[in-house]
Amino acid sequence: MKTVLISGASIAGPALAYWLHHHGFAPTVVERAPAPRIGGQAIDIRGVALDVVDRMDMLTPLRELRTRMRGMSMLDGDGNEIMRSTEYAASSGRLDSDDIEVLREDLTRILHERTVAGTEYVFGDSIAAIEQDEDGVRVEFERGRPRTFDLVVGADGLHSTVRRLAFGPEAEFIHHLGTYVSVFTTENILNLDEWQVWIRDGDLGGGIYPARDNTELRVNLGFMSEPVDYDHRDLDAQRRLVADRLAGMRWEIPRLLKAMWQAPDFYFDAMAQIRIDSWSRGRVTLLGDAGYCASPLSGQGTSLALVGAYVLAAELAAAGGDHRSALAGYERRMRPFAELNQALATENPGGPASEESIERAKNAISLDA
């Protein structure tokens, strides 16, 4: 086994490409977007995932790029401060932790830079059909010519195309957690200085924090709701949905909603998890959010992606071309880790998991089997 097609060029996909190339495989990454995606919220690299990025020689540059918060405030619906902390930030946890919080686009950029020389990247395309047999997987693309690979990996997120084609409809595997969130970038119109502000008004709320030396804001605004039917590709429809649901919010929210319409990196989705009995079907397997999304409420999605990529590549290398053995080993090692981290999102509805649970979950796997 040598050729591996990876769908998705966010975090899990390029991380897997890195380790596959390291072990002598030939990875190809296909991504629907025309280039590496910009924007996104701050994400955390914790526990065992720090060991993974250290082994990739990325620990030092990521530490240099980490967000630097002095603390946070919690506001009521009118903007009155009801709590503040200089020890804890809602986006990252304890400020004295060894964990690293960086902007998603920074991690994505570094991963792409570290893998582009040893990986074939195909941007602006997507998988349209998958047909496999004992010898390989024939893949049809929306734009490119059909090709055959030894293995196909779906690292294409919560709404994975690979999972739909090889495993079945998304509705069979997605479990909503009752919240939707939008994320976008705007100028620092609130003049925040290394300080996060979080607001809660009934079922509505969000968090705002500065980035890029306080020159911009990363805005997270959302609402609690039962599942909502909307087009995942229609960004303007999603903006209207957010604007309508948050129309009654006060404080600075109307200004932020106005800025949302000009944001070039607007993102909207449900807080949800993927739960599936098996992550593999023959020569097709799932990685990261596509197979075991824990949701941003867990704070562990990025770490799961990085660790999963390391373990999957290691098992493929150790199996000597036997994909059945490799994929079974990958799932045997990763599933307990994934499920323990998924539990963080549901341990304390409406609030963070306990520090004890987080510490246990983020270190609950060994990289050296």
Side-chain angles (χ1 to χ4, degrees):
M1 179 189 296
K2 285 294 181 182
T3 59
V4 181
L5 175 65
I6 305 165
S7 177
S10 180
I11 293 172
L16 177 61
Y18 177 96
W19 289 112
L20 287 175
H21 178 70
H22 172 81
H23 289 298
F25 293 87
T28 297
V29 176
V30 61
E31 166 60 49
R32 181 183 298 276
R37 297 177 188 268
I38 63 171
Q41 74 273 35
I43 49 88
D44 300 296
I45 305 171
R46 295 171 163 167
V48 179
L50 291 170
D51 296 330
V52 173
V53 296
D54 190 22
R55 296 183 184 192
M56 300 170 81
D57 198 26
M58 289 169 43
L59 194 55
T60 296
L62 287 171
R63 280 178 172 157
E64 293 173 350
L65 290 167
R66 69 190 305 170
T67 61
R68 304 191 184 279
M69 293 292 125
R70 297 181 294 110
M72 61 161 285
S73 298
M74 183 66 71
L75 311 181
D76 65 16
D78 292 312
N80 300 310
E81 186 177 81
I82 56 177
M83 185 276 284
R84 68 165 37 213
S85 174
T86 56
E87 299 178 352
Y88 174 90
S91 69
S92 59
R94 291 193 59 85
L95 298 179
D96 60 359
S97 171
D98 290 333
D99 299 341
I100 297 176
E101 182 185 63
V102 296
L103 297 178
R104 172 178 288 275
E105 63 189 21
D106 285 341
L107 177 55
T108 299
R109 174 180 54 80
I110 291 176
L111 284 168
H112 184 258
E113 291 172 352
R114 295 295 175 93
T115 55
V116 67
T119 302
E120 177 191 9
Y121 275 92
V122 180
F123 286 100
D125 208 346
S126 182
I127 296 174
I130 295 173
E131 183 178 351
Q132 60 176 309
D133 56 29
E134 285 297 312
D135 298 320
V137 188
R138 184 179 187 275
V139 178
E140 294 183 12
F141 297 92
E142 291 184 354
R143 292 183 174 85
R145 60 179 178 80
R147 296 171 62 180
T148 298
F149 299 87
D150 294 320
L151 186 75
V152 172
V153 181
D156 43 356
L158 180 67
H159 305 296
S160 169
T161 295
V162 171
R163 189 185 61 236
R164 175 176 55 81
L165 292 172
F167 294 75
E170 179 178 294
E172 296 182 8
F173 313 114
I174 194 166
H175 294 259
H176 284 269
L177 301 180
T179 301
Y180 286 83
V181 67
S182 63
V183 183
F184 58 91
T185 301
T186 188
E187 295 180 2
N188 190 356
I189 58 178
L190 303 184
N191 296 316
L192 294 180
D193 182 6
E194 297 183 354
W195 193 266
Q196 299 185 5
V197 176
W198 295 79
I199 184 169
R200 184 71 178 268
D201 187 4
D203 290 343
L204 312 176
I208 306 99
Y209 44 86
R212 307 295 183 212
D213 295 324
N214 298 315
T215 61
E216 64 184 40
L217 298 178
R218 295 298 164 102
V219 183
N220 300 253
L221 295 175
F223 52 89
M224 298 177 68
S225 172
E226 293 298 315
V228 177
D229 185 23
Y230 65 94
D231 187 342
H232 294 290
R233 304 284 170 78
D234 190 337
L235 296 183
D236 280 345
Q238 296 167 30
R239 288 185 175 98
R240 287 193 294 272
L241 176 59
V242 173
D244 290 345
R245 291 293 187 114
L246 274 61
M249 291 193 73
R250 303 176 300 282
W251 185 58
E252 298 282 359
I253 302 303
R255 290 178 69 196
L256 295 171
L257 288 175
K258 183 177 180 180
M260 173 185 70
W261 288 94
Q262 281 74 48
D265 58 350
F266 175 83
Y267 169 86
F268 174 79
D269 213 335
M271 297 293 98
Q273 294 187 341
I274 295 298
R275 303 173 194 167
I276 186 169
D277 290 340
S278 174
W279 300 337
S280 302
R281 293 286 188 274
R283 291 177 175 268
V284 179
T285 194
L286 303 174
L287 173 65
D289 282 357
Y292 35 91
C293 179
S295 91
L297 295 175
S298 74
Q300 282 293 93
T302 299
S303 294
L304 283 171
L306 291 168
V307 175
Y310 181 93
V311 171
L312 176 55
E315 290 294 325
L316 287 168
D322 182 352
H323 70 278
R324 295 179 183 85
S325 174
L327 298 181
Y330 160 59
E331 185 153 353
R332 183 178 62 253
R333 291 176 62 188
M334 273 298 294
R335 183 172 285 276
F337 181 59
E339 291 179 348
L340 194 59
N341 281 281
Q342 284 184 322
L344 295 177
T346 57
E347 176 181 290
N348 179 27
S354 68
E355 290 187 22
E356 294 79 8
S357 295
I358 294 171
E359 286 298 315
R360 181 173 64 253
K362 72 183 187 181
N363 292 298
I365 190 173
S366 172
L367 296 182
D368 301 311

PDB file of all heavy atoms in Angstrom, residues 45-63:
ATOM      1  N   ILE A  45      -4.345  23.125  21.423  1.00  0.00           N
ATOM      2  CA  ILE A  45      -3.528  21.926  21.285  1.00  0.00           C
ATOM      3  C   ILE A  45      -3.140  21.517  22.693  1.00  0.00           C
ATOM      4  O   ILE A  45      -2.456  22.262  23.404  1.00  0.00           O
ATOM      5  CB  ILE A  45      -2.285  22.184  20.428  1.00  0.00           C
ATOM      6  CG1 ILE A  45      -2.705  22.760  19.069  1.00  0.00           C
ATOM      7  CG2 ILE A  45      -1.479  20.904  20.236  1.00  0.00           C
ATOM      8  CD1 ILE A  45      -1.537  23.254  18.242  1.00  0.00           C
ATOM      9  N   ARG A  46      -3.594  20.333  23.117  1.00  0.00           N
ATOM     10  CA  ARG A  46      -3.493  19.959  24.515  1.00  0.00           C
ATOM     11  C   ARG A  46      -2.934  18.547  24.692  1.00  0.00           C
ATOM     12  O   ARG A  46      -3.074  17.686  23.825  1.00  0.00           O
ATOM     13  CB  ARG A  46      -4.886  20.017  25.172  1.00  0.00           C
ATOM     14  CG  ARG A  46      -5.485  21.402  25.245  1.00  0.00           C
ATOM     15  CD  ARG A  46      -6.924  21.340  25.696  1.00  0.00           C
ATOM     16  NE  ARG A  46      -7.415  22.638  26.147  1.00  0.00           N
ATOM     17  CZ  ARG A  46      -8.693  22.912  26.357  1.00  0.00           C
ATOM     18  NH1 ARG A  46      -9.607  21.985  26.160  1.00  0.00           N
ATOM     19  NH2 ARG A  46      -9.056  24.116  26.777  1.00  0.00           N
ATOM     20  N   GLY A  47      -2.355  18.330  25.851  1.00  0.00           N
ATOM     21  CA  GLY A  47      -1.986  16.984  26.260  1.00  0.00           C
ATOM     22  C   GLY A  47      -1.111  16.268  25.252  1.00  0.00           C
ATOM     23  O   GLY A  47      -0.065  16.771  24.822  1.00  0.00           O
ATOM     24  N   VAL A  48      -1.534  15.063  24.864  1.00  0.00           N
ATOM     25  CA  VAL A  48      -0.762  14.227  23.953  1.00  0.00           C
ATOM     26  C   VAL A  48      -0.555  14.909  22.605  1.00  0.00           C
ATOM     27  O   VAL A  48       0.467  14.679  21.943  1.00  0.00           O
ATOM     28  CB  VAL A  48      -1.460  12.864  23.764  1.00  0.00           C
ATOM     29  CG1 VAL A  48      -0.690  11.975  22.810  1.00  0.00           C
ATOM     30  CG2 VAL A  48      -1.617  12.162  25.107  1.00  0.00           C
ATOM     31  N   ALA A  49      -1.479  15.756  22.195  1.00  0.00           N
ATOM     32  CA  ALA A  49      -1.331  16.458  20.917  1.00  0.00           C
ATOM     33  C   ALA A  49      -0.102  17.358  20.911  1.00  0.00           C
ATOM     34  O   ALA A  49       0.485  17.612  19.848  1.00  0.00           O
ATOM     35  CB  ALA A  49      -2.584  17.263  20.608  1.00  0.00           C
ATOM     36  N   LEU A  50       0.308  17.867  22.071  1.00  0.00           N
ATOM     37  CA  LEU A  50       1.543  18.652  22.150  1.00  0.00           C
ATOM     38  C   LEU A  50       2.747  17.790  21.792  1.00  0.00           C
ATOM     39  O   LEU A  50       3.694  18.263  21.158  1.00  0.00           O
ATOM     40  CB  LEU A  50       1.706  19.240  23.551  1.00  0.00           C
ATOM     41  CG  LEU A  50       0.712  20.340  23.943  1.00  0.00           C
ATOM     42  CD1 LEU A  50       0.823  20.645  25.428  1.00  0.00           C
ATOM     43  CD2 LEU A  50       0.949  21.599  23.117  1.00  0.00           C
ATOM     44  N   ASP A  51       2.709  16.520  22.186  1.00  0.00           N
ATOM     45  CA  ASP A  51       3.790  15.603  21.820  1.00  0.00           C
ATOM     46  C   ASP A  51       3.815  15.365  20.308  1.00  0.00           C
ATOM     47  O   ASP A  51       4.882  15.224  19.705  1.00  0.00           O
ATOM     48  CB  ASP A  51       3.641  14.274  22.558  1.00  0.00           C
ATOM     49  CG  ASP A  51       3.789  14.424  24.059  1.00  0.00           C
ATOM     50  OD1 ASP A  51       4.529  15.324  24.493  1.00  0.00           O
ATOM     51  OD2 ASP A  51       3.150  13.644  24.795  1.00  0.00           O
ATOM     52  N   VAL A  52       2.623  15.312  19.689  1.00  0.00           N
ATOM     53  CA  VAL A  52       2.559  15.114  18.239  1.00  0.00           C
ATOM     54  C   VAL A  52       3.213  16.288  17.515  1.00  0.00           C
ATOM     55  O   VAL A  52       4.067  16.091  16.633  1.00  0.00           O
ATOM     56  CB  VAL A  52       1.104  14.931  17.774  1.00  0.00           C
ATOM     57  CG1 VAL A  52       1.036  14.904  16.244  1.00  0.00           C
ATOM     58  CG2 VAL A  52       0.513  13.645  18.337  1.00  0.00           C
ATOM     59  N   VAL A  53       2.838  17.521  17.855  1.00  0.00           N
ATOM     60  CA  VAL A  53       3.415  18.676  17.151  1.00  0.00           C
ATOM     61  C   VAL A  53       4.900  18.830  17.485  1.00  0.00           C
ATOM     62  O   VAL A  53       5.671  19.344  16.661  1.00  0.00           O
ATOM     63  CB  VAL A  53       2.634  19.977  17.435  1.00  0.00           C
ATOM     64  CG1 VAL A  53       1.214  19.875  16.894  1.00  0.00           C
ATOM     65  CG2 VAL A  53       2.625  20.330  18.913  1.00  0.00           C
ATOM     66  N   ASP A  54       5.313  18.381  18.672  1.00  0.00           N
ATOM     67  CA  ASP A  54       6.737  18.395  19.000  1.00  0.00           C
ATOM     68  C   ASP A  54       7.496  17.453  18.075  1.00  0.00           C
ATOM     69  O   ASP A  54       8.585  17.784  17.571  1.00  0.00           O
ATOM     70  CB  ASP A  54       6.928  17.994  20.463  1.00  0.00           C
ATOM     71  CG  ASP A  54       8.346  18.221  20.958  1.00  0.00           C
ATOM     72  OD1 ASP A  54       9.071  19.044  20.349  1.00  0.00           O
ATOM     73  OD2 ASP A  54       8.746  17.582  21.945  1.00  0.00           O
ATOM     74  N   ARG A  55       6.932  16.270  17.810  1.00  0.00           N
ATOM     75  CA  ARG A  55       7.572  15.320  16.910  1.00  0.00           C
ATOM     76  C   ARG A  55       7.560  15.803  15.463  1.00  0.00           C
ATOM     77  O   ARG A  55       8.324  15.311  14.636  1.00  0.00           O
ATOM     78  CB  ARG A  55       6.893  13.955  17.022  1.00  0.00           C
ATOM     79  CG  ARG A  55       7.053  13.320  18.400  1.00  0.00           C
ATOM     80  CD  ARG A  55       6.435  11.938  18.492  1.00  0.00           C
ATOM     81  NE  ARG A  55       6.530  11.416  19.863  1.00  0.00           N
ATOM     82  CZ  ARG A  55       6.284  10.154  20.204  1.00  0.00           C
ATOM     83  NH1 ARG A  55       5.932   9.274  19.269  1.00  0.00           N
ATOM     84  NH2 ARG A  55       6.392   9.762  21.460  1.00  0.00           N
ATOM     85  N   MET A  56       6.704  16.771  15.151  1.00  0.00           N
ATOM     86  CA  MET A  56       6.676  17.382  13.826  1.00  0.00           C
ATOM     87  C   MET A  56       7.576  18.614  13.762  1.00  0.00           C
ATOM     88  O   MET A  56       7.607  19.311  12.740  1.00  0.00           O
ATOM     89  CB  MET A  56       5.232  17.779  13.465  1.00  0.00           C
ATOM     90  CG  MET A  56       4.262  16.626  13.441  1.00  0.00           C
ATOM     91  SD  MET A  56       2.529  17.153  13.299  1.00  0.00           S
ATOM     92  CE  MET A  56       2.406  17.463  11.547  1.00  0.00           C
ATOM     93  N   ASP A  57       8.272  18.904  14.860  1.00  0.00           N
ATOM     94  CA  ASP A  57       9.135  20.084  14.971  1.00  0.00           C
ATOM     95  C   ASP A  57       8.334  21.374  14.772  1.00  0.00           C
ATOM     96  O   ASP A  57       8.823  22.347  14.187  1.00  0.00           O
ATOM     97  CB  ASP A  57      10.289  20.014  13.961  1.00  0.00           C
ATOM     98  CG  ASP A  57      11.439  20.955  14.321  1.00  0.00           C
ATOM     99  OD1 ASP A  57      11.591  21.275  15.514  1.00  0.00           O
ATOM    100  OD2 ASP A  57      12.154  21.399  13.404  1.00  0.00           O
ATOM    101  N   MET A  58       7.111  21.388  15.294  1.00  0.00           N
ATOM    102  CA  MET A  58       6.241  22.554  15.173  1.00  0.00           C
ATOM    103  C   MET A  58       5.952  23.214  16.514  1.00  0.00           C
ATOM    104  O   MET A  58       5.260  24.234  16.563  1.00  0.00           O
ATOM    105  CB  MET A  58       4.912  22.137  14.511  1.00  0.00           C
ATOM    106  CG  MET A  58       5.031  21.802  13.048  1.00  0.00           C
ATOM    107  SD  MET A  58       3.537  21.013  12.354  1.00  0.00           S
ATOM    108  CE  MET A  58       2.216  21.997  13.059  1.00  0.00           C
ATOM    109  N   LEU A  59       6.467  22.672  17.582  1.00  0.00           N
ATOM    110  CA  LEU A  59       6.117  23.180  18.902  1.00  0.00           C
ATOM    111  C   LEU A  59       6.600  24.613  19.108  1.00  0.00           C
ATOM    112  O   LEU A  59       5.842  25.484  19.583  1.00  0.00           O
ATOM    113  CB  LEU A  59       6.685  22.262  19.985  1.00  0.00           C
ATOM    114  CG  LEU A  59       6.142  22.444  21.402  1.00  0.00           C
ATOM    115  CD1 LEU A  59       4.635  22.320  21.443  1.00  0.00           C
ATOM    116  CD2 LEU A  59       6.787  21.423  22.345  1.00  0.00           C
ATOM    117  N   THR A  60       7.834  24.890  18.738  1.00  0.00           N
ATOM    118  CA  THR A  60       8.377  26.243  18.936  1.00  0.00           C
ATOM    119  C   THR A  60       7.637  27.290  18.111  1.00  0.00           C
ATOM    120  O   THR A  60       7.213  28.321  18.664  1.00  0.00           O
ATOM    121  CB  THR A  60       9.884  26.273  18.621  1.00  0.00           C
ATOM    122  OG1 THR A  60      10.572  25.427  19.552  1.00  0.00           O
ATOM    123  CG2 THR A  60      10.435  27.685  18.724  1.00  0.00           C
ATOM    124  N   PRO A  61       7.420  27.091  16.796  1.00  0.00           N
ATOM    125  CA  PRO A  61       6.678  28.116  16.049  1.00  0.00           C
ATOM    126  C   PRO A  61       5.244  28.288  16.530  1.00  0.00           C
ATOM    127  O   PRO A  61       4.724  29.405  16.503  1.00  0.00           O
ATOM    128  CB  PRO A  61       6.732  27.616  14.597  1.00  0.00           C
ATOM    129  CG  PRO A  61       7.114  26.182  14.669  1.00  0.00           C
ATOM    130  CD  PRO A  61       7.953  26.039  15.891  1.00  0.00           C
ATOM    131  N   LEU A  62       4.617  27.225  16.987  1.00  0.00           N
ATOM    132  CA  LEU A  62       3.257  27.365  17.487  1.00  0.00           C
ATOM    133  C   LEU A  62       3.226  28.137  18.809  1.00  0.00           C
ATOM    134  O   LEU A  62       2.318  28.935  19.048  1.00  0.00           O
ATOM    135  CB  LEU A  62       2.606  25.990  17.651  1.00  0.00           C
ATOM    136  CG  LEU A  62       2.223  25.294  16.341  1.00  0.00           C
ATOM    137  CD1 LEU A  62       1.794  23.862  16.589  1.00  0.00           C
ATOM    138  CD2 LEU A  62       1.097  26.061  15.640  1.00  0.00           C
ATOM    139  N   ARG A  63       4.221  27.903  19.659  1.00  0.00           N
ATOM    140  CA  ARG A  63       4.289  28.675  20.902  1.00  0.00           C
ATOM    141  C   ARG A  63       4.493  30.157  20.610  1.00  0.00           C
ATOM    142  O   ARG A  63       3.970  31.022  21.318  1.00  0.00           O
ATOM    143  CB  ARG A  63       5.404  28.137  21.784  1.00  0.00           C
ATOM    144  CG  ARG A  63       5.005  26.880  22.552  1.00  0.00           C
ATOM    145  CD  ARG A  63       6.133  26.341  23.383  1.00  0.00           C
ATOM    146  NE  ARG A  63       5.666  25.257  24.254  1.00  0.00           N
ATOM    147  CZ  ARG A  63       6.458  24.315  24.755  1.00  0.00           C
ATOM    148  NH1 ARG A  63       7.767  24.325  24.467  1.00  0.00           N
ATOM    149  NH2 ARG A  63       5.961  23.380  25.544  1.00  0.00           N
TER     150      ARG A  63
END
